[in-house]
């Protein structure tokens, strides 16, 4: 049921592999399971959503922007980076010229290994990733925060400290962890997925 939640895409190895195996089995029997093709296509699109929202907010001017990312593993309570949505977002941001500061409670060593492999065609971009020691360290002077993995530690942060640490209080929530009206009350510009929040989001300067 958790896969039905609106968000920035699923990852890992088991579920994607099962979908692909079903598709292949169907093809062997001369059938095309359109719904599974759609599942894969939509999932790949969803992995692009956070990057598109961030790029749109900054009017395509991401060069030199510092974007913090909370959560790197494909799901909480693991260091598994296989097909993780964070990898897509980080690639989008780096290639647009942004500096990326990242934090995950468990997956940092694996993330360093995997992200270096992802950037073998552009190794200099790896130097634009800052691996923070804590979630709050990742936010220092950040222009925006993107939440990619729904770790429990991210569900009830110190929002006052978030506002103090960042250049502007701007959150792109890929897992819908927070309530839009509460973000509005705290003066935080908030963008999530699958929920209309335009009435709540305060105006911020790029």
């Amino acid at each position: 049921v958790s896969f039905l939640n609106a968000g920035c895409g699923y990852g890992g190895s088991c579920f994607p592999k099962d979908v692909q195996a079903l598709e292949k089995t169907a093809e062997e029997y001369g059938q095309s399971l359109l719904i599974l093709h759609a599942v894969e296509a939509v999932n790949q699109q969803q992995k692009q959503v956070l990057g598109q929202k961030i790029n749109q907010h900054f009017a395509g001017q991401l060069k030199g922007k510092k974007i913090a990312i909370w959560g790197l593993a494909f799901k909480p309570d693991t260091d598994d980076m296989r097909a993780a949505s964070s990898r897509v977002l980080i690639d989008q941001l780096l290639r647009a010229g942004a500096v990326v500061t990242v934090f995950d409670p468990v997956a940092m060593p694996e993330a360093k290994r995997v992200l270096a492999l992802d950037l073998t065609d552009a190794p200099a971009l790896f130097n634009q990733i800052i691996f923070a020691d804590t979630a709050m360290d990742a936010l220092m002077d950040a222009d925006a925060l993107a939440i990619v993995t729904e770790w429990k530690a991210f569900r009830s942060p110190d929002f006052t400290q978030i506002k103090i640490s960042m250049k502007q209080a701007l959150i792109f929530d890929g897992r819908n962890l927070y309530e839009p009206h509460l973000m509005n009350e705290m003066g935080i510009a908030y963008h999530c997925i699958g929920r209309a929040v335009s009435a709540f989001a305060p105006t911020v300067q790029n």
Side-chain angles (χ1 to χ4, degrees):
V1 175
S2 62
F3 288 118
L4 299 178
N5 293 337
C8 55
Y10 63 79
S13 62
C14 296
F15 187 70
K17 186 164 55 180
D18 289 343
V19 171
Q20 292 165 8
L22 283 172
E23 286 183 288
K24 184 175 181 180
T25 299
E27 289 172 1
E28 290 173 353
Y29 285 89
Q31 300 296 319
S32 179
L33 299 182
L34 297 181
I35 191 169
L36 292 185
H37 294 318
V39 167
E40 283 202 282
V42 170
N43 188 52
Q44 293 308 313
Q45 291 173 7
Q46 287 304 110
K47 290 184 179 184
Q48 303 281 335
V49 167
L50 277 185
Q52 291 168 354
K53 285 178 176 287
I54 294 170
N55 188 64
Q56 182 178 16
H57 176 86
F58 290 103
Q61 303 301 311
L62 283 173
K63 186 173 179 61
K65 297 295 183 184
K66 185 177 183 181
I67 310 298
I69 295 177
W70 282 1
L72 299 172
F74 87 90
K75 68 176 183 177
D77 304 315
T78 181
D79 69 347
D80 197 336
M81 292 288 295
R82 286 175 291 183
S85 299
S86 63
R87 296 168 65 175
V88 175
L89 175 60
I90 290 169
D91 190 78
Q92 285 176 291
L93 296 174
L94 292 177
R95 294 181 192 276
V99 174
V100 179
T101 62
V102 302
F103 176 76
D104 187 284
V106 173
M108 296 292 269
E110 179 65 4
K112 290 180 181 180
R113 184 187 71 84
V114 169
L115 293 173
L117 292 174
D118 286 348
L119 296 167
T120 52
D121 68 316
L125 292 180
F126 186 77
N127 295 326
Q128 291 175 216
I129 306 174
I130 300 169
F131 295 89
D133 293 327
T134 69
M136 286 301 170
D137 284 348
L139 295 184
M140 291 303 299
D141 295 323
D143 294 285
L145 164 64
I147 300 173
V148 185
T149 313
E150 60 272 36
W151 286 92
K152 288 182 179 179
F154 302 155
R155 292 184 180 274
S156 300
D158 184 336
F159 289 107
T160 299
Q161 188 59 47
I162 286 176
K163 293 176 66 175
I164 292 172
S165 299
M166 299 178 69
K167 289 181 181 177
Q168 55 183 331
L170 173 61
I171 296 177
F172 294 86
D173 186 355
R175 299 301 176 186
N176 294 339
L177 297 187
Y178 313 132
E179 291 299 325
H181 70 279
L182 295 178
M183 296 296 96
N184 181 60
E185 290 174 4
M186 285 186 270
I188 296 174
Y190 182 67
H191 303 266
C192 51
I193 295 178
R195 295 187 291 178
V197 297
S198 58
F200 299 109
T203 302
V204 293
Q205 297 297 318
N206 290 350

